[in-house]
Amino acid sequence: METYQLTLNNILKYVKEIYSDVEVVYRPPHGNDIRSTYGREYERVLKLADGLNKLGVGPGDRVATLDWNTIWHFELYWAVPGMGAVLHPLNVRLAPEDLVYIINHAGDKVLIYHRDFAPLVEKLKPHLKTVQLYIQIADGQGPATKDVEIEDVIKQGEPKPLPEISEDKVATIGYTSGTTGRPKGAYFTHRALTLHTLVSALAFAGFRGFARPECVEEICTFLQLVPMFHVHGWGTPWTFALLGWRQVYPGRFDAGHTARLIAEENVKSLAGVPTMLYMILTHPDFPKYVEKVRKIRPIFTVGGAALPKELAKKAEEAGFIPRVGYGMTETAPILTLGFFKPTEKIPKDVEEYYHLLTATGLPIPLVDLMVADENLRPVPRDGKTMGEIVVRAPWVTPEYLGDPEKTREAWRGGWFHTGDVAIWQPDGRVRIVDRAKDVIKSGGEWISSLQLEDLILTHPAVAQAAVIGVPHEMWGERPVAVVILKPGASAKEEDIIKHLEKFVEAGKIPKWWLPDKVIFVQQLPLTGTGKIDKKVLREQFKDVLKK
């Protein structure tokens, strides 16, 4: 008797069978809208897979994508793994040098790129050793090339059923953003991604704080805001298809366009990094849509970085329901969500409520999570003792591609080490206080850069803040705050320090946590996934405390 396989193909067949008439929409900031359905997309996926096969793409071949959140990217998410090949979304915001390294290291045979990236691809081509086939997505503003177009690939294909494949077959690969050296490759099987899809669907459909009761009786809309080149778009293209939600793909991220889509497409749920949420709330066009947003009350799940309390408050005032998720490239990604237990009382005190709301959250089903000390022993659940988050789950990558040394380091003791420093609360929630590489060690003691940033953001003149550790002759490291002020606002270094002194007097932070310096800038560097790039800041300001 043959065992039924846990594959994305079997999820796709279910979606086609049950939700065939539900819409899938592509609405880019510039260009023509495309309104399709899951039924139509199913046929296009089959034809795309067959068309790729006719061009010589076979089982195990690695297919890289350089694309925005387009309907073609959605189709590739199903077609490439479905035919037994391996999908490799490339982070479009990485430096060309890193892209060359990643494509060569992964051994990609095919590169499918959006027309916006045509000039970049032409520069990359001479340096790519393994790519044999280039396919262009004829959308956007870039120049046409002689490479075959994806619509022609689909036209040449036939709607043949996808093959039966093993759940242990590799479906996707992805690379870390390389904040601590060269990017590292992780891979995920069909089984891993199917289980991740099932559990995340359970979370978004049934968890208190994430579920929308009205979406049982009506078709609701999810906006795919998370870049699809970033760790499977957090898995939501598959998850919300399985749930039967209508999906809207917005193309390249544009904050004003996003606000318009939320209002016009009646978006009930979306997700993104804090920077995206901030850009939407502060966009000059947002006031046009704020009343509609307040009527819809969309859930905005924030991940990729900590959600500052002040940003959460602004989001709620604007009509969003802010929630928190946590994961990383190596974990497919979801590990925790900021949901509420069925018997849990929501705090009435405002500060206590936002403290709870912005916690990293509780593990989702099938995630075994521990906050551990250096000897892999659980730290006390006292909300004070710091340790590293270590995890085991069916969807955590088993290894780094071609790097046994980093694999051993990451999986020491049988647990995957995330590098995130956290505290464990009595209710089982975790709260990340820093990345291991970002935590500031001063005089042998730890200072949480995230906590300092959260407090600086409560100053009425501050728009954004990053706190970094800077070398210090006596203390090893000392905190330095890098701040962007709101338009038209003014503040001096002593104003920020005096503001923080209030929290010292209130007993929230010790006095020695106060930054040695406050630097005002016009913009902060971002990583390819929209997070503040502290590595760049540390290099830029490494000498500011030298005498």
Side-chain angles (χ1 to χ4, degrees):
M1 181 171 142
E2 189 171 329
T3 304
Y4 184 82
Q5 299 296 297
L6 298 177
T7 64
L8 295 173
N9 294 15
N10 287 326
I11 290 179
L12 178 62
K13 282 194 288 187
Y14 181 85
V15 171
K16 176 257 181 184
E17 193 67 33
I18 305 301
Y19 308 125
S20 184
D21 295 331
V22 176
E23 262 195 326
V24 180
V25 178
Y26 176 46
R27 282 192 64 183
H30 308 288
N32 297 323
D33 297 355
I34 296 174
R35 294 189 179 269
S36 185
T37 63
Y38 284 123
R40 199 175 302 143
E41 288 305 293
Y42 178 77
E43 183 169 325
R44 282 174 60 83
V45 165
L46 298 189
K47 293 175 72 175
L48 175 56
D50 185 58
L52 288 170
N53 186 252
K54 287 176 177 176
L55 288 173
V57 183
D61 287 339
R62 294 176 178 180
V63 180
T65 60
L66 202 59
D67 193 12
W68 306 114
N69 290 10
T70 70
I71 199 162
W72 297 278
H73 217 169
F74 174 74
E75 292 160 355
L76 288 161
Y77 259 54
W78 300 99
V80 174
M83 66 186 293
V86 181
L87 180 72
H88 179 199
L90 296 166
N91 188 333
V92 304
R93 305 202 183 281
L94 290 181
E97 183 181 335
D98 282 335
L99 287 172
V100 168
Y101 170 81
I102 288 170
I103 293 168
N104 289 335
H105 188 269
D108 294 327
K109 180 178 180 178
V110 185
L111 175 56
I112 301 176
Y113 62 95
H114 189 278
R115 184 169 283 178
D116 284 356
F117 303 111
L120 171 62
V121 171
E122 290 304 312
K123 291 179 182 177
L124 297 180
K125 280 182 178 180
H127 309 286
L128 302 182
K129 301 173 183 176
T130 60
V131 178
Q132 300 173 24
L133 174 63
Y134 294 88
I135 298 172
Q136 183 178 146
I137 296 170
D139 179 56
Q141 308 301 312
T145 67
K146 293 180 181 179
D147 294 325
V148 62
E149 293 189 357
I150 196 166
E151 282 299 325
D152 291 331
V153 177
I154 294 170
K155 286 175 186 174
Q156 292 165 14
E158 298 175 44
K160 295 178 180 178
L162 295 173
E164 295 290 331
I165 54 179
S166 167
E167 64 184 32
D168 295 321
K169 195 167 190 62
V170 176
T172 67
I173 55 176
Y175 278 71
T176 64
S177 54
T179 53
T180 54
R182 282 290 195 188
K184 301 184 291 290
Y187 68 83
F188 305 90
T189 63
H190 275 266
R191 180 179 185 274
L193 295 177
T194 299
L195 288 171
H196 182 272
T197 301
L198 290 167
V199 172
S200 54
L202 168 67
F204 286 111
F207 280 17
R208 188 175 169 213
F210 282 86
R212 302 296 299 246
E214 71 270 29
C215 297
V216 176
E217 302 294 333
E218 63 183 70
I219 296 172
C220 286
T221 299
F222 178 78
L223 177 62
Q224 183 60 47
L225 193 61
V226 178
M228 294 172 75
F229 57 73
H230 183 212
V231 62
H232 308 124
W234 299 358
T236 47
W238 299 313
T239 298
F240 282 90
L242 179 59
L243 287 172
W245 280 46
R246 179 174 176 269
Q247 293 194 57
V248 175
Y249 286 77
R252 181 177 185 169
F253 173 68
D254 176 280
H257 179 61
T258 301
R260 180 169 62 253
L261 288 182
I262 293 168
E264 293 180 358
E265 298 288 347
N266 199 35
V267 171
K268 295 284 187 177
S269 183
L270 66 163
V273 297
T275 309
M276 286 178 160
L277 177 56
Y278 174 81
M279 290 171 72
I280 293 166
L281 294 173
T282 57
H283 194 276
D285 287 347
F286 185 70
K288 298 178 190 175
Y289 308 107
V290 69
E291 287 308 314
K292 186 69 184 292
V293 171
R294 285 172 179 158
K295 288 179 182 177
I296 299 170
R297 295 283 288 151
I299 294 173
F300 196 120
T301 305
V302 172
L307 174 61
K309 288 181 187 177
E310 290 305 304
L311 184 57
K313 290 176 183 177
K314 287 184 176 69
E316 283 211 336
E317 288 167 5
F320 290 101
I321 301 172
R323 292 291 181 262
V324 171
Y326 164 64
M328 54 200 309
T329 299
E330 296 93 330
T331 66
I334 304 176
L335 295 174
T336 73
L337 289 171
F339 62 93
F340 303 107
K341 297 177 182 179
T343 57
E344 194 169 32
K345 291 183 178 179
I346 308 300
K348 292 182 179 179
D349 178 78
V350 173
E351 288 306 313
E352 192 180 343
Y353 166 72
Y354 280 106
H355 183 73
L356 180 70
L357 178 71
T358 56
T360 307
L362 293 156
I364 62 174
L366 303 186
V367 172
D368 188 10
L369 181 148
M370 175 171 62
V371 183
D373 63 18
E374 61 271 16
N375 297 311
L376 261 185
R377 295 177 301 207
V379 303
R381 299 191 184 198
D382 57 7
K384 295 184 294 185
T385 307
M386 295 185 192
E388 183 186 11
I389 296 177
V390 296
V391 294
R392 296 183 291 208
W395 45 80
V396 178
T397 188
E399 62 180 313
Y400 289 119
L401 291 167
D403 201 331
E405 184 179 336
K406 284 192 171 66
T407 298
R408 282 192 296 271
E409 176 67 16
W411 274 103
R412 60 191 184 276
W415 292 78
F416 181 78
H417 291 248
T418 66
D420 286 312
V421 178
I423 54 175
W424 218 351
Q425 297 177 183
D427 60 6
R429 275 183 176 79
V430 292
R431 178 180 292 276
I432 292 176
V433 295
D434 234 324
R435 284 289 294 161
K437 64 180 183 292
D438 290 337
V439 71
I440 301 160
K441 200 159 189 179
S442 184
E445 299 291 338
W446 282 355
I447 298 173
S448 168
S449 67
L450 296 182
Q451 192 173 350
L452 279 177
E453 287 162 7
D454 214 21
L455 296 177
I456 291 169
L457 285 168
T458 63
H459 191 286
V462 174
Q464 290 180 278
V467 175
I468 55 172
V470 171
H472 190 277
E473 187 178 5
M474 179 182 294
W475 301 110
E477 284 186 325
R478 288 295 300 152
V480 168
V482 186
V483 170
I484 296 177
L485 296 178
K486 294 176 181 176
S490 63
K492 297 178 180 178
E493 181 177 36
E494 54 264 34
D495 298 326
I496 304 299
I497 299 299
K498 284 179 182 177
H499 179 71
L500 289 175
E501 285 173 348
K502 296 176 186 176
F503 298 102
V504 173
E505 293 167 9
K508 291 187 178 292
I509 56 171
K511 189 172 183 178
W512 58 274
W513 277 32
L514 292 175
D516 281 24
K517 194 170 187 61
V518 179
I519 300 169
F520 296 96
V521 297
Q522 295 298 313
Q523 60 183 24
L524 291 167
L526 301 178
T527 67
T529 52
K531 306 174 193 176
I532 295 172
D533 196 335
K534 292 189 177 181
K535 180 180 70 173
V536 172
L537 290 177
R538 283 192 291 267
E539 177 62 26
Q540 185 177 352
F541 298 114
K542 63 184 179 182
D543 297 327
V544 295
L545 298 183
K546 287 185 178 179
K547 295 179 180 178

